[in-house]
């Protein structure tokens, strides 16, 4: 799925990006496209469990480190595929959500959200229903990241570290979350202290949420009038640069 797929920044004169993908066999494969063909750069060793989430992170100026989950363990490899990080969370649930910034780690399993600093437990939250997706967004201020969770009970929940701050009802079980991608609009909203989050549901709806320090409010909604099925992965991009 799109949750185990990542794009590394271009590092050569040809500005060629590399794609990394996690498989059901626990292998992370990196490849590039040359003359229309996929050429494998490296592949990690097989693991006993599938890669449920892959995250491309690292220093802000060069985000070329790959982190991924397998069962209850988080691993990190560099752009050449060499492992430099491994952290066993000692949880009981398979990790499905992951975000890493500096020494901070946010994870979600089926029902549990956990927050770690320097691989030490710094907080947790038990969701009333299954957590299907995790997105980190600076909602309560312009700096600190807040966990935004899409849950099966038709709610999007926003946490302040590990305390429930907001919950917004939507049209179906939330299967995917993403930030609205438009630099011009994002700059305008940021000045107003607002962020836009998009969500997809298991009954095929796509919707918008307006998030700020005071509330989470419903925006537009695209109904699934043709009954096309559920939304598995959602992303946003400003194709027209407008």
């Amino acid at each position: 799925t799109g949750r185990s797929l990542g794009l590394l920044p271009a590092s050569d004169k040809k500005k060629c990006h590399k794609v990394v993908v996690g498989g059901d066999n626990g292998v992370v494969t990196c490849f590039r496209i040359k003359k229309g063909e996929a050429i494998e750069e490296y592949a990690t060793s097989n693991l006993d469990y599938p890669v449920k989430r892959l995250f491309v992170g690292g220093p802000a100026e060069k985000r070329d480190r790959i982190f991924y989950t397998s069962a209850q363990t988080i691993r990190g490899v560099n752009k050449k595929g060499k492992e430099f990080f491994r952290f066993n969370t000692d949880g009981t649930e398979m990790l499905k959500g992951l975000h890493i910034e500096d020494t901070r780690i946010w994870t979600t399993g089926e029902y549990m959200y956990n927050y770690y600093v320097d691989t030490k437990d710094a907080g947790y939250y038990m969701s009333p229903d299954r957590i299907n997706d995790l997105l980190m967004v600076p909602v309560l201020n312009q700096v600190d990241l807040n966990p935004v969770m899409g849950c099966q009970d038709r709610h999007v929940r926003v946490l302040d570290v590990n305390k429930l701050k907001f919950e917004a009802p939507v049209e179906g079980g939330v299967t995917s979350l993403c930030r609205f991608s438009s630099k011009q609009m994002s700059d305008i909203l940021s000045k107003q202290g607002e962020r836009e989050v998009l969500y997809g549901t298991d009954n095929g709806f796509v919707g918008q949420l307006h998030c700020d320090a005071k509330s989470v409010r419903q925006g537009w909604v695209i109904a699934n009038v043709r009954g096309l099925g559920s939304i598995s992965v959602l992303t946003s991009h400003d194709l027209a640069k407008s």
Side-chain angles (χ1 to χ4, degrees):
T1 71
R3 296 183 180 91
S4 56
L5 180 72
L7 190 67
L8 293 176
S11 59
D12 55 26
K13 295 180 180 180
K14 295 181 180 179
K15 300 299 181 183
C16 180
H17 292 268
K18 295 177 182 178
V19 178
V20 286
V21 59
D24 289 340
N25 57 356
V27 174
V28 171
T29 305
C30 176
F31 64 89
R32 57 187 173 90
I33 304 298
K34 185 176 181 180
K35 296 181 180 180
E37 294 187 5
I39 300 174
E40 183 179 302
E41 293 279 312
Y42 64 81
T44 61
S45 58
N46 288 52
L47 300 173
D48 294 330
Y49 298 94
V51 175
K52 290 290 187 178
R53 194 63 171 248
L54 185 147
F55 178 77
V56 177
E61 66 277 5
K62 194 175 184 181
R63 299 180 75 83
D64 59 358
R65 297 178 182 177
I66 303 131
F67 300 92
Y68 59 100
T69 67
S70 179
Q72 294 82 31
T73 301
I74 302 167
R75 288 174 168 84
V77 298
N78 61 21
K79 62 181 180 180
K80 295 184 179 181
K82 183 177 180 180
E83 185 175 302
F84 68 89
F85 178 79
R86 185 182 298 186
F87 172 45
N88 189 336
T89 62
D90 291 326
T92 58
E93 298 181 341
M94 297 274 286
L95 297 178
K96 300 195 302 180
L98 175 67
H99 190 100
I100 297 178
E101 295 290 340
D102 302 319
T103 61
R104 297 167 295 163
I105 302 174
W106 297 264
T107 68
T108 54
E110 285 287 325
Y111 295 88
M112 288 294 299
Y113 152 85
N114 287 92
Y115 175 48
Y116 305 93
V117 178
D118 291 320
T119 66
K120 300 295 190 298
D121 189 13
Y124 70 92
Y125 172 79
M126 172 72 81
S127 174
D129 207 339
R130 291 198 311 275
I131 304 168
N132 294 326
D133 203 4
L134 170 70
L135 180 70
M136 301 302 299
V137 184
V139 174
L140 301 181
N141 57 58
Q142 299 296 308
V143 179
D144 298 319
L145 293 172
N146 296 104
V148 180
M149 302 184 302
C151 300
Q152 187 60 33
D153 63 352
R154 301 188 171 210
H155 280 80
V156 173
R157 292 182 167 87
V158 180
L159 303 183
D160 182 3
V161 186
N162 63 336
K163 304 295 184 183
L164 180 64
K165 188 69 177 179
F166 305 119
E167 54 183 358
V170 296
E171 299 75 22
V174 184
T175 52
S176 186
L177 296 167
C178 77
R179 291 184 64 171
F180 180 68
S181 179
S182 170
K183 187 177 188 309
Q184 182 179 1
M185 184 59 68
S186 294
D187 290 344
I188 294 173
L189 293 173
S190 293
K191 292 179 181 178
Q192 300 172 352
E194 184 177 304
R195 306 287 183 178
E196 282 186 276
V197 171
L198 306 182
Y199 64 87
T201 68
D202 59 1
N203 54 359
F205 282 67
V206 175
Q208 173 198 48
L209 294 173
H210 297 276
C211 308
D212 59 30
K214 296 181 180 179
S215 65
V216 175
R217 305 174 304 282
Q218 181 77 63
W220 50 258
V221 177
I222 302 174
N224 184 15
V225 294
R226 296 173 60 189
L228 297 177
S230 65
I231 306 297
S232 56
V233 178
L234 183 68
T235 190
S236 169
H237 189 73
D238 187 6
L239 296 175
K241 304 297 182 181
S242 59

